[in-house]
Amino acid sequence: MKRILIIGLSILSVSCKKTGTVLNTTNTQTILQYIAQAPQLTILNAAIARCNLDTVFASGGPFTFFCPTDSAFAAVGLTMDKIKAYDPQALSLLLQYNMLTGKFSSQDLVGFLTEQVTSVDTAYKPFIVKNYYGLFINGIQVTSQVELGDGVVLNIGSVNFAPTQTVLQILDSLPELSFYAAVANQVPQFQTIFGNQPNNYYHFGTRPGVTVFAPTNDAFMAYIYPTLSSVTQVDPGTLYMDFEAPVLNGFDFTADFLGGFETTGNSYYSQAEFVQFENLAVGKDGLTILENYPSSVSGGPSLVPPHIIRSNILATNGVIQEIDQVIHP
């Protein structure tokens, strides 16, 4: 059965702004000189000193540095005191994951694109998206950029951590997704695609990895699974049929959906067509998922479309998007 999944977003955007709103200035300072004087980057400056990252800049660049602001560090509990006590090697790897060799500012990237790039820590390859709404790394939007003598600083409002776990491992670790994790562990196909590394596993198409729209426990309970045991008692084949549609081939962040996104025959197993149309933005209610078939809540059609309520959970082999309803064909 051919299905079309339309992912739309509220026009009233608070977190994604058009490219023209990003502050862009140029000066002749080095990156390190700029960070040392930037009032919004004091914790990052302390982190650089803690792990002696200045040695990385010795070659002169150019570099692109995605810089978490003080508020970004604070949001994940990394205060100045905690940064000063952080393991220097781990801190160095965190910062190097946010550094690229070469210039990747909005002006340097021509046209719209989604590209996996190699960080200074060459073990990891973050994803860059550029579209009408701005520039993003792993779905995190750049809020301002400054051209400098040895590269460019791109400020970001969230700390961009390198992934360390597979999709399956993350599902097993999140208490709000324990019902969906039970599904993933019961269905052999899901165990395979959620547990393998992307460079070792492809299914439909040539895009590595997987994007999973994972319903929360509350969504399961509002559907037809009131308890965790009610999930584990279901035949794996039935669970596969119930949950295979909203699983996409590739790493897709909410930034990829902005301004339109289309991938045909690129769903695992269902060969469904997934289409997103224009006038898209992330609003305060999150990403809205609309379909040409109703999602089912309490056994009946839903009048309220599903939303992504926690976005862009990055794994080594994919991306998890938490949603508030079960999408059912």
Side-chain angles (χ1 to χ4, degrees):
M1 179 178 69
K2 180 179 284 190
R3 296 188 289 269
I4 297 178
L5 177 65
I6 301 172
I7 300 184
L9 305 102
S10 166
I11 280 265
L12 299 176
S13 173
V14 294
S15 59
C16 290
K17 301 176 182 179
K18 298 176 183 177
T19 307
T21 64
V22 174
L23 176 64
N24 180 31
T25 60
T26 304
N27 69 49
T28 58
Q29 292 177 300
T30 66
I31 291 175
L32 290 178
Q33 288 171 340
Y34 174 81
I35 291 173
Q37 298 177 7
Q40 77 278 18
L41 299 177
T42 61
I43 297 179
L44 176 62
N45 188 49
I48 292 171
R50 171 71 177 165
C51 62
N52 298 316
L53 194 68
D54 55 328
T55 58
V56 176
F57 292 90
S59 67
F63 296 100
T64 297
F65 198 174
F66 291 86
C67 297
T69 60
D70 288 349
S71 59
F73 279 111
V76 293
L78 290 176
T79 62
M80 185 70 78
D81 288 342
K82 288 187 177 179
I83 284 294
K84 290 180 178 179
Y86 210 98
D87 176 70
Q89 183 177 4
L91 191 57
S92 178
L93 293 175
L94 168 61
L95 298 185
Q96 288 183 55
Y97 179 60
N98 287 272
M99 295 176 59
L100 310 177
T101 301
K103 291 182 65 179
F104 292 84
S105 68
S106 295
Q107 288 75 15
D108 297 310
L109 298 174
V110 179
F112 290 0
L113 57 85
T114 296
E115 183 178 348
Q116 191 172 20
V117 294
T118 301
S119 67
V120 170
D121 177 6
T122 56
Y124 294 100
K125 295 183 178 182
F127 290 82
I128 289 180
V129 173
K130 182 191 175 186
N131 56 31
Y132 183 66
Y133 294 87
L135 183 62
F136 304 79
I137 183 168
N138 291 342
I140 302 169
Q141 188 174 24
V142 171
T143 56
S144 64
Q145 61 183 40
V146 183
E147 299 276 351
L148 297 160
D150 58 349
V152 57
V153 161
L154 303 174
N155 289 336
I156 52 177
S158 299
V159 178
N160 178 39
F161 291 100
T164 59
Q165 296 179 301
T166 66
V167 167
L168 190 59
Q169 289 170 330
I170 292 176
L171 291 174
D172 286 336
S173 72
L174 294 176
E176 74 273 19
L177 296 181
S178 60
F179 283 43
Y180 190 79
V183 172
N185 283 290
Q186 280 183 250
V187 177
Q189 297 96 322
F190 291 161
Q191 285 183 322
T192 300
I193 63 175
F194 296 168
N196 276 306
Q197 294 304 318
N199 58 333
N200 296 327
Y201 187 82
Y202 294 80
H203 198 73
F204 295 123
T206 58
R207 300 178 66 212
V210 61
T211 298
V212 183
F213 292 89
T216 63
N217 296 345
D218 288 341
F220 272 83
M221 289 186 282
Y223 182 47
I224 56 173
Y225 299 107
T227 64
L228 183 60
S229 63
S230 67
V231 177
T232 58
Q233 293 171 10
V234 178
D235 175 74
T238 300
L239 290 175
Y240 157 65
M241 293 299 295
D242 271 358
F243 294 98
E244 51 85 21
V247 178
L248 301 181
N249 191 192
F251 288 76
D252 290 321
F253 302 89
T254 50
D256 292 290
F257 307 141
L258 301 174
F261 171 91
E262 180 175 351
T263 172
T264 303
N266 213 21
S267 162
Y268 284 104
Y269 306 114
S270 67
Q271 293 283 353
E273 291 183 1
F274 291 80
V275 183
Q276 290 80 41
F277 293 127
E278 297 179 0
N279 66 2
L280 307 180
V282 173
K284 61 183 180 180
D285 294 328
L287 184 73
T288 303
I289 302 174
L290 307 173
E291 310 175 81
N292 71 329
Y293 55 87
S295 65
S296 296
V297 176
S298 300
S302 170
L303 298 178
V304 179
H307 291 73
I308 288 181
I309 56 176
R310 183 181 175 190
S311 60
N312 304 329
I313 304 171
L314 181 60
T316 56
N317 60 343
V319 182
I320 299 170
Q321 310 286 1
E322 283 190 19
I323 57 177
D324 62 357
Q325 294 187 49
V326 172
I327 299 176
H328 187 270

